[in-house]
Amino acid sequence: MKRMVTVFLGAALVAGLAWATPEDDRQAFVEYFQNRFPDVAVADYINGVYAIDPGAYEQWVQIEEFAPYELAIAEGKELFETPFANGKTYADCFPNGGIGIRQNYPYFDTATGQVKTLELEINECREKNGEKPLGYKKGPIASISAYMAFTSRGQVLDVKIPDDPRAMAAYEHGKEFYYSKRGQLNFSCADCHVSNSGMMIRADRLSPALGHPTHFPVYRSKWNDMGTLHRRFDGCNKQVRAVPLKAQGEEYRDLEYFVTYMSNGLVINGPGARK
Amino acid sequence: MHKKYVIAGALILAGFQAGLAQAADEAAYKAACDAAEEARKMSAELKYEWNTVAPLIEKAGAAATAGDFGKAVSLCDEARLQSEAAVAQARQQADDWRSAVVK
């Protein structure tokens, strides 16, 4: 009996040592897509579905020339620079005055033990300065986020998971969300954007998960509007007939933490235009 | 004269019975929809609610208002079954998701 326990503990220890680190996860993720789409350069995954669909790519390049998100960038810049009632601006809340910092989000905030996204901090900045928070899925927050992404184009995504068990737990929580089947249709994010990426679902080709967060927020023709990453999560949850969770709630923030970590090393090219 | 009383009595009795039947149907509707609502809440607590459930419960309410308790019961039964499936899905995924991770 005692020996069995020892053997069991030993096995658990080995399993524990063999547990994948986030970096192992990321490398396996990138490798998976390299094997699945051997002709696609890793750097091109920032282009979403257009990276794997040459026909649609040509059309999309044309759309990007008269980019439908230009207005949002201009509006976002104006909102970003307009002082609050107390005279402060967004620039006062962010490192480097909020310019060229998109690639560092989301990050784990050891002070609060929470994952902080860019949109969450935009609202925290407003509230700190006596302004009402904005809705998280579209409207002014998408414009401000679009402007901040625009000033960060070309910067390399660099999401960090600090040596803090709470940060690791948030990452694992996001990973669990990504791989868990949900809704009446019983699909996980990974079912569509990993193992069926490149396949058609009704009129859409499923984009690979790698590179997903680099170009958000996006102008989406179907919305006729800008939307944040959490607006997209919301839509993808509904597609499988699940009730979506709260934008910027813990689940979606942790999900963003995992998804964005998987795209570390790719460059920011937001905002983007999508079908 | 006599006959009139008999008819009136029969009508009252019939009405009474219909009333009883309605009360029974209404109680069945309440029980079915309370159970559905409870199951829905449990799935929502697990963050696994299906978006097909609330519309079923809503339709059941409309059917009940229109007096069609039979239809209301079957709609709520369906809502409960779906919510129970969602709860089972949550429990299963808590174990299964790891095997889906890209390695």
Side-chain angles (χ1 to χ4, degrees), chain A residues 85-97:
Chain A
N86 68 2
K88 300 236 171 180
T89 65
Y90 289 106
D92 296 313
C93 296
F94 291 97
N96 199 40

Side-chain angles (χ1 to χ4, degrees), chain A residues 19 24-25 28-29 31-32 172 175-177 179-188 190 194 237-245 251, chain B residues 40 43-56 78 82 85-86 89-90 92-103:
Chain A
W19 255 28
D24 293 336
D25 285 345
F29 211 74
E31 219 166 89
Y32 177 91
E172 281 287 313
K175 182 170 153 187
E176 174 172 359
F177 198 106
Y179 286 104
S180 294
K181 295 177 189 292
R182 323 177 74 80
Q184 190 181 39
L185 300 188
N186 201 36
F187 270 84
S188 70
V194 179
N237 273 165
K238 283 183 195 150
Q239 267 192 86
V240 298
R241 300 191 190 146
V243 172
L245 302 178
E251 286 76 22
Chain B
R40 188 196 65 75
S43 70
E45 257 165 49
L46 296 167
K47 318 263 180 194
Y48 262 80
E49 183 178 351
W50 296 359
N51 73 2
T52 45
V53 169
L56 287 171
E78 174 63 21
Q82 286 194 14
Q89 181 185 45
Q92 173 132 28
Q93 289 306 304
D95 290 331
D96 284 3
W97 72 270
R98 274 188 195 282
S99 62
V101 173
V102 172
K103 285 176 197 85

Side-chain angles (χ1 to χ4, degrees), chain A residues 220-231:
Chain A
R220 198 172 168 216
S221 323
K222 195 186 145 197
W223 292 335
N224 229 327
D225 190 12
M226 296 291 295
T228 59
L229 186 59
H230 289 208
R231 182 176 183 185

Side-chain angles (χ1 to χ4, degrees), chain B residues 13-100:
Chain B
L13 202 67
F16 184 62
Q17 269 181 342
L20 272 184
Q22 156 127 18
D25 287 351
E26 199 167 347
Y29 152 70
K30 276 232 149 68
C33 289
D34 284 354
E37 185 54 26
E38 199 173 311
R40 188 196 65 75
K41 275 198 188 131
M42 190 182 282
S43 70
E45 257 165 49
L46 296 167
K47 318 263 180 194
Y48 262 80
E49 183 178 351
W50 296 359
N51 73 2
T52 45
V53 169
L56 287 171
I57 296 177
E58 203 170 299
K59 270 191 208 147
T65 308
D68 191 346
F69 292 109
K71 186 175 171 192
V73 166
S74 58
L75 285 164
C76 277
D77 282 349
E78 174 63 21
R80 175 179 53 77
L81 288 173
Q82 286 194 14
S83 296
E84 286 167 359
V87 168
Q89 181 185 45
R91 297 204 168 122
Q92 173 132 28
Q93 289 306 304
D95 290 331
D96 284 3
W97 72 270
R98 274 188 195 282
S99 62

Side-chain angles (χ1 to χ4, degrees), chain A residues 32-45 50-54:
Chain A
Y32 177 91
F33 286 108
Q34 281 180 304
N35 290 331
R36 191 168 173 91
F37 304 107
D39 298 336
V40 177
V42 172
D44 285 347
Y45 281 93
Y50 309 114
I52 59 166
D53 188 344

